[in-house]
């Protein structure tokens, strides 16, 4: 097979890994971000944590694997983005450290539960926001030089378009968390999640429309992409479905709707980027799946590894989710 | 300080702190697997109680391992962008394979161990214990593959200014992978088993949880005794491999300034690099030649055989290497005494020995850290041995001030993590093994 086939395959596999990551870790990050609004006492905080405790670290592995796959398949894109977004990614790391340990510390360090509950929430809000900002930047275009190096600074990353994408990503993650809370937890937490959900749906819709408007205004070249519009259509339907399901008291359906809306966002992001991985403000310096990739042999071996490994991962992950089916009371 | 030094310190800090947790994980997952197997076979609740006790700690250790591990994966891109560009074609694959084959398995089934005791059958629970054990050990293999490739790179060619893969198996099973893997896994088992033995010894001294403590101590001390003796063998094989494939590294470990026949082994001393002399040195004549080549008169290359700009610094690798070996010898001694007491059936009553076990708890971790410092600093000035220098591996666009800032914040965060880790661990230990789990 020609190398470009593998380059395409890896564009899709990484997209797949990040999509599953945002669905699964999305509900972890989302419910943690919403904890101050959902849980009013330590018992309810424990319910929130119990709803994700057995699965959160497995969920985070989708990010770790997605990052490693990007490194292995497109090392030039990995190197450019990670070094270019240095301070922002350090912030993500500090946050992820705290969110990873905060549950254990909350559980055992009873006298400082307030601190660890906030660490849990802030450690989740920050990555939820910054992942989208980073994605918004590589879609919108960042200043790159001839050597694929980022020439902007921290504030370059905070332009309006990436910020809107960041907020859209955050609100999508909040929706994942909110629908998960409504589905997984019984009692007052679920009630609050249900009444809160409409506000988040509205936030999603407003930010989505804003993002579309900005895309039309700022990125005219990608407006004609059919897959992008198909994604937008699915998104609109899925978001409405979340609303209808919530009103009809079917929290699991709402969660599925929210997950599909997230998939749609990734389809749009993929359509907006393809075949680029990192758009440059100077088009000639774009990092694409062609100029940023590893060699054919590496891509091929990695593909075999993924082909053997991923179906097994998906099978036992589904099995373990089944084990922990049922509501937290 | 320049950006290279700051980036090295930050990576060293991040990897050094991280390394505490996976090595404990290796040992604890082995212990849990053995205890679960005994519970499955005998149906004796005692094993279940003890196993649940260690699973609780494993949960804490693992959470810290994840928190500190993700930093490393990001670091190759954030701080070592040129490295990633130069060797990403080879180095990224084992990291991705680790995720796909091992880390998913470890994380997902640890969830079952921590929260699924009453939700799955005994068989599935035992299987989960096995998969967590297997996943963590497989995970270690991929990481060691990646790291060993930096030590003894193979299976690649330089094309268009970057290293490209030519033979996957040659790269993965490069000349140092297997011996380094064995060395690290055994080190993990020593760390975990001595940790468990120390905790049990503490209960026996305090006369608490006596039955549980005896069960733990018996299992743990057997693992510890065998492994600390086996580690001598693996350490020896590893040293021979380093002497052959990275001779300047061994010359540095031993502060062997000049190439010589019948080279001595340095036991202790103060090497001064600028004077190329070792002060107050105690050495055993011809031992280095004998150990490296099975010939007391064989020639061993000294530091003078290599260009100055391809030599590692002496002081840190020398002391790290010797502290590691010193501690390893101490473990062997503790093992022999432990075995003797076990056979004489006096293990549970020899109070002085129980105290030794308690105070020895942190020592394997310290030995691991120094072993790793010796291996990594001993590879300098190379990031990838003879392929890419560390100064050429750093991100060119990240200013030193940014790295300094992140380094300061990391230092505070890691200090906090370690303090809390120890505090909570002590809390769990104080509570002791109990019939229920959280």
């Amino acid at each position: 097979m020609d190398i470009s086939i593998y380059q395409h395959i890896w564009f899709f596999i990484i997209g797949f890994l990040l999509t599953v990551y945002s669905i699964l870790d999305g509900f972890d990050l989302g419910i943690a971000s919403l904890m101050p609004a959902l849980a009013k006492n330590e018992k309810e905080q424990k319910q929130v944590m119990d709803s994700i405790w057995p699965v959160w670290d497995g969920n985070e592995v989708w990010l770790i694997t997605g990052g490693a796959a990007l490194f292995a398949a497109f090392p030039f894109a990995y190197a450019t983005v990670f070094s270019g977004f240095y301070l922002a990614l350090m912030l993500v790391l500090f946050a992820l450290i705290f969110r990873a340990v905060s549950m254990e510390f909350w559980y055992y360090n009873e006298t400082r539960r307030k601190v660890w509950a906030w660490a849990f929430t802030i450690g989740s809000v920050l990555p939820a926001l910054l992942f989208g900002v980073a994605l918004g930047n590589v879609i919108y275009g960042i200043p790159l030089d001839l050597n694929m190096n980022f020439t902007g600074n921290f504030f370059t990353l905070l332009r309006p378009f990436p910020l809107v994408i960041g907020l859209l990503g955050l609100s999508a993650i909040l929706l994942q968390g909110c629908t998960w809370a409504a589905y997984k937890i019984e009692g007052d937490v679920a009630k609050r999640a249900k009444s809160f959900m409409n506000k988040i749906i509205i936030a999603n819709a407003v930010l989505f429309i804003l993002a579309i408007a900005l895309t039309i205004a700022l990125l005219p070249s990608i407006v004609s992409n059919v897959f992008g519009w198909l994604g937008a259509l699915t998104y609109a339907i899925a978001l409405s479905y979340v609303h209808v399901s919530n009103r009809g008291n079917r929290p699991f359906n709402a969660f599925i709707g929210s997950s599909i809306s997230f998939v749609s966002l990734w389809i749009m992001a993929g359509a907006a980027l393809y075949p680029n991985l990192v758009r440059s403000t100077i088009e000639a310096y774009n990092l694409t799946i062609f100029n940023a990739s590893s060699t054919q042999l590496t891509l091929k071996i990695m593909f075999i590894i993924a082909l053997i490994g991923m179906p097994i991962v998906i099978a036992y992950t589904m099995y373990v989710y089944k084990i922990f089916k049922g509501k937290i009371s | 300080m320049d950006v290279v030094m700051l980036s090295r310190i930050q990576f060293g800090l991040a990897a050094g702190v991280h390394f505490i947790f996976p090595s404990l994980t290796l040992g604890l997952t082995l212990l849990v697997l053995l205890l679960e197997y005994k519970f499955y076979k005998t149906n004796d609740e005692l094993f279940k109680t003890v196993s649940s006790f260690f699973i609780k700690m494993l949960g804490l250790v693992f959470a810290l391992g994840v928190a500190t591990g993700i930093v490393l994966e990001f670091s190759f891109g954030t701080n070592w962008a040129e490295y990633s560009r130069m060797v990403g074609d080879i180095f990224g694959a084992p990291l991705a394979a680790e995720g796909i084959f091992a880390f998913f398995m470890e994380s997902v089934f640890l969830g079952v161990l921590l929260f699924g005791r009453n939700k799955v059958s005994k068989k599935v629970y035992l299987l989960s214990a096995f998969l967590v054990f297997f996943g963590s050990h497989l995970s270690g293999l991929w990481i060691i593959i990646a790291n060993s490739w930096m030590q003894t790179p193979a299976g690649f060619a330089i094309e268009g200014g970057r290293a490209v893969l030519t033979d996957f198996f040659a790269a993965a099973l490069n000349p140092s992978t297997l011996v380094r893997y064995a060395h690290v896994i055994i080190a993990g088992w020593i760390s975990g088993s001595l940790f468990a033995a120390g905790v049990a010894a503490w209960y026996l001294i305090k006369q608490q949880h006596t039955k549980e403590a005896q069960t733990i101590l018996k299992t743990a001390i057997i693992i510890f005794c065998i492994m600390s003796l086996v580690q001598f063998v693996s350490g020896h094989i590893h040293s021979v491999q380093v002497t052959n494939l990275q001779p300047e590294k061994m010359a540095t470990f031993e502060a062997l300034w000049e190439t010589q026949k019948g080279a001595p082994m340095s036991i202790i001393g103060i090497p001064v690099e600028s004077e190329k002399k070792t002060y107050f040195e105690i050495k055993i004549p011809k031992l280095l030649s004998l150990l490296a080549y099975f010939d007391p008169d064989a020639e061993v290359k000294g530091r003078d055989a290599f260009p100055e700009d391809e030599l590692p610094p002496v002081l840190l690798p020398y002391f790290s290497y010797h502290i590691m070996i010193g501690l390893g010898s101490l473990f062997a001694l503790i093992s022999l005494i432990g075995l003797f007491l076990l056979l004489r059936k006096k293990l549970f009553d020899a109070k002085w020995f129980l105290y030794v076990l308690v105070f020895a708890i942190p020592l394997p971790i310290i030995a691991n850290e120094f072993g790793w410092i010796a291996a990594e600093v001993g590879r300098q000035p190379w990031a990838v041995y003879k392929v890419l220098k560390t100064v050429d591996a750093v991100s060119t666009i990240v200013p030193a001030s940014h790295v300094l800032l992140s380094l300061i914040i990391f230092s505070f965060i890691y200090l906090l993590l370690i303090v809390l880790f120890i505090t909570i661990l002590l809390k769990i230990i104080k509570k002791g093994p109990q019939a229920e789990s959280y």
Side-chain angles (χ1 to χ4, degrees):
Chain A
M1 276 200 284
D2 183 49
I3 183 167
S4 78
I5 293 175
Y6 289 111
Q7 287 161 334
H8 281 92
I9 287 173
W10 275 101
F11 183 79
F12 285 107
I13 293 181
I14 290 168
F16 170 74
L17 291 170
L18 294 179
T19 304
V20 178
Y21 170 71
S22 56
I23 290 173
L24 296 182
D25 214 29
F27 72 69
D28 297 345
L29 294 171
I31 200 171
S33 304
L34 289 172
M35 194 166 79
L38 294 178
K40 296 296 172 200
N41 54 44
E42 286 186 1
K43 209 186 107 222
E44 290 175 353
Q45 290 181 344
K46 175 91 176 2
Q47 288 181 328
V48 166
M49 292 184 190
D50 277 344
S51 76
I52 60 170
W53 220 322
V55 292
W56 78 266
D57 50 12
N59 294 343
E60 192 168 300
V61 178
W62 288 88
L63 173 68
I64 295 172
T65 305
L70 180 69
F71 187 3
F74 302 110
F76 296 95
Y78 166 80
T80 297
V81 172
F82 278 57
S83 61
F85 299 180
Y86 188 84
L87 289 178
L89 285 175
M90 288 298 136
L91 213 52
V92 169
L93 284 178
F94 301 147
L96 284 179
I97 291 175
F98 277 111
R99 94 93 187 229
V101 297
S102 59
M103 283 191 285
E104 295 282 328
F105 289 175
W106 181 91
Y107 184 81
Y108 289 109
N109 196 347
E110 287 114 334
T111 50
R112 291 199 191 82
R113 284 210 161 145
K114 275 205 179 103
V115 176
W116 295 119
W118 278 110
F120 183 52
T121 295
I122 296 168
S124 300
V125 172
L126 268 181
L129 174 68
L130 290 174
F131 286 143
V133 174
L135 184 65
N137 270 296
V138 301
I139 292 174
Y140 184 51
I142 52 174
L144 294 177
D145 67 12
L146 185 61
N147 300 317
M148 298 181 175
N149 273 321
F150 178 65
T151 55
N153 57 43
F154 182 70
F155 297 100
T156 314
L157 305 179
L158 304 179
R159 293 163 297 174
F161 181 84
L163 277 183
V164 168
I165 300 297
L167 289 171
L168 178 61
L170 174 63
S171 63
I173 285 174
L174 292 182
L175 189 61
Q176 277 297 93
C178 193
T179 52
W180 179 257
Y183 156 61
K184 194 69 186 175
I185 302 174
E186 278 179 338
D188 289 345
V189 175
K191 263 188 220 148
R192 281 183 210 119
K194 271 173 209 160
S195 61
F196 208 60
M197 207 179 293
N198 274 337
K199 285 181 196 153
I200 299 175
I201 293 173
I202 292 167
N204 268 277
V206 169
L207 287 162
F208 183 76
I209 291 165
L210 196 56
I212 296 274
L214 280 177
T215 308
I216 293 170
L218 300 169
L219 295 164
S221 63
I222 59 176
V223 170
S224 58
N225 191 305
V226 180
F227 290 101
W229 289 109
L230 277 175
L233 187 64
T234 331
Y235 180 83
I237 295 169
L239 201 62
S240 319
Y241 183 68
V242 177
H243 174 71
V244 172
S245 303
N246 187 42
R247 214 172 44 188
N249 219 356
R250 292 184 301 272
F252 182 69
N253 299 43
F255 176 70
I256 295 297
S258 170
S259 303
I260 293 171
S261 72
F262 226 141
V263 176
S264 320
L265 288 179
W266 276 106
I267 291 173
M268 296 176 74
L273 266 178
Y274 172 87
N276 298 299
L277 294 165
V278 182
R279 198 171 267 120
S280 164
T281 43
I282 301 163
E283 207 186 320
Y285 296 160
N286 284 357
L287 296 187
T288 68
I289 60 171
F290 310 112
N291 70 10
S293 91
S294 281
T295 57
Q296 181 162 354
L297 179 62
T298 296
L299 294 179
K300 184 177 153 188
I301 287 168
M302 293 273 307
F303 179 50
I304 295 169
I305 288 173
L307 218 51
I308 299 169
M310 287 319 293
I312 303 174
V313 170
I314 292 166
Y316 64 64
T317 301
M318 285 169 73
Y319 170 71
V320 169
Y321 267 87
K322 231 176 181 172
I323 293 175
F324 293 107
K325 222 172 133 182
K327 288 183 186 282
I328 308 290
S329 56
Chain B
M1 243 186 292
D2 68 339
V3 67
V4 181
M5 201 56 195
L6 286 167
S7 300
R8 282 179 63 191
I9 294 173
Q10 179 167 308
F11 193 88
L13 173 75
V17 172
H18 175 65
F19 194 35
I20 298 171
F21 306 109
S23 46
L24 276 174
T25 301
L26 293 171
L28 287 177
T29 53
L30 172 68
L31 197 66
V32 165
L33 176 62
L34 291 175
L35 290 167
E36 286 300 332
Y37 179 73
K38 280 187 188 163
F39 173 56
Y40 181 78
K41 280 280 159 194
T42 62
N43 228 352
D44 184 343
E45 290 280 325
L46 183 65
F47 291 117
K48 181 170 132 184
T49 308
V50 172
S51 176
S52 295
F53 175 59
F54 283 111
I55 288 170
K56 236 186 257 183
M57 295 195 228
L58 185 59
L60 179 67
V61 170
F62 192 80
L64 279 145
V66 174
T68 53
I70 193 163
V71 176
L72 295 177
E73 194 202 49
F74 276 45
S75 291
F76 297 111
T78 52
N79 295 82
W80 305 99
E82 292 309 315
Y83 174 87
S84 303
R85 289 180 177 127
M86 172 79 186
V87 301
D89 194 48
I90 301 150
F91 193 83
L95 299 190
E98 189 238 3
I100 292 171
F101 285 140
F103 202 43
F104 270 119
M105 186 190 286
E106 196 183 350
S107 310
V108 167
F109 287 98
L110 183 66
V112 179
L113 283 192
L114 280 167
F115 301 96
R117 176 80 81 177
N118 304 317
K119 292 183 191 283
V120 298
S121 68
K122 276 176 76 181
K123 212 179 235 168
V124 171
Y125 198 78
L126 177 63
L127 180 68
S128 302
F130 172 74
L131 291 173
V132 172
F133 164 84
F134 182 69
S136 60
H137 286 70
L138 192 59
S139 174
L141 177 63
W142 288 107
I143 297 305
I144 291 294
I145 283 175
N147 182 246
S148 295
W149 188 82
M150 298 167 77
Q151 303 284 353
T152 52
F156 72 103
I158 303 290
E159 270 172 33
R162 64 165 167 160
V164 299
L165 187 69
T166 54
D167 181 342
F168 176 74
F169 287 101
L173 298 174
N174 66 71
S176 67
T177 297
L178 291 179
V179 58
R180 298 178 86 243
Y181 181 60
H183 198 57
V184 167
I185 293 295
I186 295 168
W189 291 350
I190 290 174
S191 311
S193 60
L194 191 56
F195 170 76
V199 170
W202 179 248
Y203 290 143
L204 290 175
I205 292 167
K206 291 267 156 191
Q207 295 180 320
Q208 296 168 340
H209 314 289
T210 313
K211 249 177 33 195
E212 290 86 354
Q214 290 182 350
T215 311
I216 300 168
L217 187 53
K218 221 167 31 193
T219 315
I221 203 88
I222 292 172
I223 303 175
F224 173 71
C225 290
I226 299 171
M227 287 310 144
S228 50
L229 297 176
V230 173
Q231 189 68 315
F232 258 83
V233 181
S234 96
H236 169 70
I237 300 172
H238 189 17
S239 304
V240 173
Q241 171 256 314
V242 171
T243 314
N244 284 309
L245 298 176
Q246 294 174 287
E248 58 274 65
K249 192 195 245 187
M250 184 49 75
T252 302
F253 285 166
E254 290 293 337
L256 190 70
W257 306 103
E258 283 153 21
T259 303
Q260 52 196 276
K261 288 187 172 143
M265 186 161 157
S266 178
I267 300 302
I268 197 66
I270 301 172
V272 178
E273 195 177 335
S274 56
E275 297 176 36
K276 298 189 176 157
K277 250 170 94 174
T278 310
Y279 288 96
F280 311 113
E281 192 177 28
I282 301 170
K283 46 188 177 183
I284 301 174
K286 303 195 182 216
L287 190 58
L288 184 58
S289 290
L290 180 68
L291 286 175
Y293 297 106
F294 304 103
D295 170 5
D297 295 315
E299 184 179 279
V300 180
K301 279 191 180 141
R303 280 174 60 96
D304 62 346
F306 306 95
E308 286 281 342
D309 62 346
E310 294 188 4
L311 281 171
V314 179
L315 201 64
L316 191 55
Y318 177 88
F319 276 114
S320 304
Y321 182 71
H322 283 85
I323 292 171
M324 173 191 72
I325 291 185
L327 287 171
S329 312
L330 182 66
F331 301 151
L333 181 69
I334 297 175
S335 289
L336 292 175
I337 299 171
L339 275 179
F340 176 76
L341 291 171
L342 186 69
L343 292 175
R344 297 283 302 267
K345 299 203 189 305
K346 282 184 180 164
L347 183 61
F348 302 141
D349 311 315
K351 216 166 180 179
W352 69 272
F353 185 70
L354 296 177
Y355 271 109
V356 168
L357 291 179
V358 173
F359 286 108
I361 287 179
L363 297 183
I365 305 284
I366 294 170
N368 297 346
E369 295 288 336
F370 278 114
W372 163 76
I373 290 171
E376 299 296 301
V377 181
R379 190 194 58 229
Q380 299 305 321
W382 303 100
V384 179
Y385 185 61
K386 303 256 168 151
V387 174
L388 176 68
K389 284 203 167 158
T390 310
V391 286
D392 301 321
V394 80
S395 298
T396 50
I397 59 152
V398 180
S401 58
H402 289 190
V403 183
L404 182 64
L405 179 67
S406 58
L407 174 59
I408 291 169
I409 300 174
F410 271 124
S411 306
F412 279 117
I413 293 179
Y414 282 157
L415 187 68
L416 178 74
L417 288 191
I418 289 175
V419 170
L420 281 163
F421 171 66
I422 294 172
T423 315
I424 291 175
L425 209 54
L426 290 177
K427 203 167 181 178
I428 298 175
I429 293 169
K430 218 167 170 186
K431 216 170 160 199
Q434 284 168 341
E436 41 87 58
S437 71
Y438 75 92

